[in-house]
Amino acid sequence: MSARVHEAGLLDTSTVILLSRLPSAEVLPERPMISAITLAELSVGPLVTTDEDERSRRLAHLQQAEADFRALPFDASAARAFGRVASSLRKAGRKTSARAYDALIAATALANDLPLFTCSATPEN
């Protein structure tokens, strides 16, 4: 059995959504946390579907995330870190707005000196 590499870390929204499909909990930090931005993203899901069963699943997922994780706020330090993230994306020729939630979550990780755990593929723009 391998030891976990990180004591604490920030899970992005894709990771929270895919938690039940991860091959092992060993790939996660010992103390996983989420950002308030992830809660915001998860809060959209139940509101945008017209399928009642899907709405119930998404609401249950949101409520489970709220119960299971400490949500870090998007505060002034994270706002300053977001400036660095957004400017890096622009310098790399990427559209900041296309991945705004991801950039806000990354900024929260930077502001709290935490590694970011993601299951998202890196898009072209």
Side-chain angles (χ1 to χ4, degrees):
M1 182 188 305
S2 63
R4 293 184 184 184
V5 177
H6 297 282
E7 180 183 330
L10 191 69
L11 310 184
D12 78 349
T13 308
S14 66
T15 306
V16 172
I17 290 170
L18 296 172
L19 275 175
S20 65
R21 295 187 226 157
L22 294 178
S24 167
E26 293 295 319
V27 300
L28 298 173
E30 192 172 314
R31 283 188 306 114
M33 292 177 262
I34 62 173
S35 169
I37 304 304
T38 291
L39 288 181
E41 267 192 289
L42 291 174
S43 294
V44 173
L47 301 174
V48 296
T49 184
T50 57
D51 181 283
E52 289 300 321
D53 291 335
E54 182 63 20
R55 179 176 290 119
S56 293
R57 281 190 290 279
R58 290 178 183 188
L59 185 56
H61 201 98
L62 167 62
Q63 291 169 335
Q64 192 66 55
E66 290 172 327
D68 288 348
F69 297 103
R70 173 180 170 222
L72 296 174
F74 188 83
D75 57 12
S77 179
R80 287 189 296 279
F82 177 76
R84 295 193 311 270
V85 171
S87 68
S88 287
L89 289 170
R90 284 185 187 173
K91 287 176 186 173
R94 301 178 78 185
K95 296 178 183 173
T96 307
S97 60
R99 304 300 289 192
Y101 289 124
D102 292 339
L104 292 165
I105 292 167
T108 304
L110 281 172
N112 289 278
D113 196 28
L114 293 169
L116 181 61
F117 291 76
T118 183
C119 292
S120 293
T122 305
E124 289 299 312
N125 288 26

